[in-house]
Amino acid sequence: MTTNKATARTRNAIEHAFLDLMKTKPYTGITVREITEAVDINRSTFYNHYQDIYDLISCIENRIIEEVKEKVDKINREGYVPGQHPQHVAVFKVLLKYEEECRVLMSSTGDINFLYKLNIGIYEALRTTWFRSNPPNPDELDMFISYITSGIIGLFRYRLDGHDRSAEELGWFAGEITNSIDEAYVRGEPNG
């Protein structure tokens, strides 16, 4: 158990040093040496955890995307209570948990593909969720999911741009819009 904690601490230190360096220079220009010096570890210790810089950034991005997808996958209408959106709130809680990491990853020194990968991850999770409920019009569903995916990311970027909104506020807003569109266009129910 101690080894697992030590491994987690080392990986955490490496990732934080890497993200700190990314605040001042593009990740493609960061060397393993710079990271190991910042963390005060040997190069071999770095390579025990990551293959290279690209593996390091990929691990950070994939962890964020997988956690977001896990929460998005739970968004459904089962047990829906009007005005309550705990599943949407959960998505924003994960995004806010990784707010600083995302801020750096989405910056000019970050990985331009991260936003695309996050978008695809959310889209695929939503598509799986809504197709489980057998929607009546799959073509419109794809447009709906694209719109909602962009909305989730847009609200998160709104927060990153300095608008102090909580996960609860962002989740409620996303949930209300999602529900309105779902009722009106996907299910063809009257919007009351």
Side-chain angles (χ1 to χ4, degrees):
M1 189 180 301
T2 304
T3 305
N4 290 339
K5 286 183 180 179
T7 297
R9 271 195 306 272
T10 301
R11 289 179 70 94
N12 190 42
I14 290 169
E15 290 178 7
H16 278 86
F18 178 61
L19 290 165
D20 282 343
L21 289 165
M22 280 178 59
K23 291 175 183 174
T24 59
K25 66 193 288 187
Y27 80 95
T28 54
I30 297 171
T31 65
V32 171
R33 181 181 199 160
E34 288 174 296
I35 295 169
T36 58
E37 287 176 357
V39 181
D40 195 25
I41 58 172
N42 295 321
R43 288 172 62 86
S44 62
T45 302
F46 176 90
Y47 288 114
N48 284 337
H49 298 280
Y50 305 99
Q51 295 174 7
D52 54 25
I53 297 295
Y54 300 99
D55 182 41
L56 171 57
I57 197 167
S58 181
C59 286
I60 295 168
E61 292 173 346
N62 290 340
R63 181 177 53 253
I64 295 167
I65 292 166
E66 287 306 311
E67 280 192 48
V68 169
K69 282 172 56 175
E70 180 183 308
K71 297 301 181 191
V72 169
D73 191 49
K74 293 178 180 173
I75 295 174
N76 63 53
R77 293 183 62 84
E78 233 174 82
Y80 172 70
V81 176
Q84 295 183 15
H85 306 286
Q87 298 156 341
H88 285 84
V89 170
V91 171
F92 284 99
K93 282 185 177 181
V94 171
L95 288 169
L96 295 184
K97 171 182 168 184
Y98 292 109
E99 183 172 7
E100 286 309 308
E101 291 89 337
C102 289
R103 186 181 312 283
V104 173
L105 291 168
M106 292 181 188
S107 74
S108 61
T109 58
D111 179 9
I112 194 167
N113 291 314
F114 174 66
L115 191 56
Y116 174 76
K117 290 186 265 188
L118 181 61
N119 191 309
I120 293 298
I122 293 171
Y123 176 88
E124 288 173 352
L126 280 173
R127 195 167 197 278
T128 300
T129 298
W130 264 288
F131 268 112
R132 273 190 294 223
S133 63
N134 300 318
N137 189 336
D139 292 335
E140 284 187 4
L141 182 68
D142 282 334
M143 287 192 306
F144 167 64
I145 292 169
S146 293
Y147 185 80
I148 297 304
T149 298
S150 296
I152 289 170
I153 291 173
L155 286 172
F156 180 56
R157 290 193 64 120
Y158 177 79
R159 162 74 186 218
L160 292 179
D161 288 342
H163 302 279
D164 190 22
R165 298 297 181 136
S166 68
E168 288 75 17
E169 290 173 300
L170 296 169
W172 178 85
F173 193 79
E176 286 294 302
I177 291 172
T178 301
N179 188 55
S180 294
I181 295 170
D182 186 43
E183 286 177 350
Y185 297 103
V186 177
R187 298 182 190 286
E189 298 171 4
N191 192 358

